[in-house]
Amino acid sequence: MSRYPDYLSPNITPTKLSKAHKSRARREPSGVFSLFKPPQIQQFKEAFQLIDHDKDGWVTEGDLKEIFSSLGITPSKEMLDDLLSARPGGSGRMAYLEDRGINFTMFLTMMSERLFEFDTEKQLLEAFESFDENDTGVVKVDEMRKWLREVGERMDEDEIGRLLEGSFSDRQGNFNYREWVKVLRVEESVE
């Protein structure tokens, strides 16, 4: 039994469709496409195309070997099997051996699962808590500016200012991240 809805899973045993059904199937996008905005889908498409070395529209074991070797990693057969059998509609190892691999819709479904399984509030709190050594619920604005400018996906001064300046920062230079996360939670539930 697949954990994916039928409309997101590949139809392993194709049935003969009438012209009307074929036309409707071409017009109706997969449900997973409605989860993302067009620019996000485009980014996923570009990532998929980077992985799909032979450009056949399918990520296969050969494509995965190629991408891993370009990263200096020699994947084991078991690792490749696990990656390919985790696809939507895949009921284990034999399913992907019978099929060709992972197409873009399957890839997008897999990415949506990974993105939507995270609890944003919890993760934000954990990220800020790593800078809050005394567990006070606040972090030093100057320290956060430094980290946001210099580490990871660096932010420019304007972005940092919008985040750290305002009602969540006090005159002593502290940013109250717990209150900020609470407000985010309220704003998300309103949308």
Side-chain angles (χ1 to χ4, degrees):
M1 177 83 190
S2 176
R3 63 181 175 177
Y4 300 97
D6 290 337
Y7 63 88
L8 294 179
S9 297
N11 188 354
I12 293 177
T13 55
T15 57
K16 185 77 173 157
L17 298 175
S18 69
K19 259 188 176 178
H21 284 99
K22 286 180 187 177
S23 177
R24 187 177 310 124
R26 278 194 301 269
R27 287 190 312 259
E28 293 177 6
S30 169
V32 73
F33 287 89
S34 65
L35 298 174
F36 299 104
K37 295 177 181 167
Q40 293 171 310
I41 293 172
Q42 183 59 38
Q43 287 179 328
F44 283 121
K45 185 71 170 174
E46 290 169 11
F48 180 82
Q49 289 170 341
L50 287 172
I51 299 168
D52 181 18
H53 277 274
D54 57 11
K55 307 296 180 214
D56 65 350
W58 291 88
V59 172
T60 60
E61 188 172 313
D63 294 321
L64 290 176
K65 284 181 185 176
E66 192 74 32
I67 195 77
F68 278 119
S69 66
S70 71
L71 297 170
I73 300 170
T74 306
S76 68
K77 179 77 171 142
E78 182 181 338
M79 179 185 194
L80 295 171
D81 290 348
D82 288 345
L83 287 170
L84 288 169
S85 65
R87 68 181 178 80
S91 55
R93 187 171 185 274
M94 290 312 293
Y96 92 80
L97 288 175
E98 292 168 7
D99 272 353
R100 296 173 51 181
I102 298 170
N103 66 22
F104 180 65
T105 304
M106 294 173 194
F107 178 79
L108 197 58
T109 302
M110 293 167 74
M111 295 298 105
S112 70
E113 283 185 343
R114 300 299 180 262
L115 290 173
F116 295 124
E117 72 186 12
F118 296 116
D119 180 4
T120 307
E121 181 180 348
K122 181 180 176 204
Q123 286 186 324
L124 283 171
L125 286 172
E126 286 175 0
F128 279 110
E129 286 168 353
S130 66
F131 297 100
D132 183 10
E133 294 174 3
N134 299 324
D135 195 31
T136 58
V138 296
V139 292
K140 291 287 183 195
V141 169
D142 292 338
E143 185 179 345
M144 288 305 302
R145 275 187 193 284
K146 177 182 177 242
W147 285 104
L148 293 170
R149 254 194 321 261
E150 299 174 5
V151 179
E153 285 191 39
R154 295 171 181 91
M155 296 172 70
D156 63 36
E157 285 300 322
D158 187 46
E159 292 172 318
I160 294 170
R162 284 195 310 255
L163 172 65
L164 298 176
E165 295 169 4
S167 59
F168 299 103
S169 297
D170 61 23
R171 293 179 188 200
Q172 292 77 36
N174 295 313
F175 177 72
N176 189 330
Y177 65 87
R178 288 186 182 149
E179 289 301 315
W180 182 75
V181 169
K182 282 181 190 175
V183 169
L184 283 181
R185 181 181 60 215
V186 170
E187 287 179 2
E188 283 179 354
S189 64
V190 169
E191 294 175 359

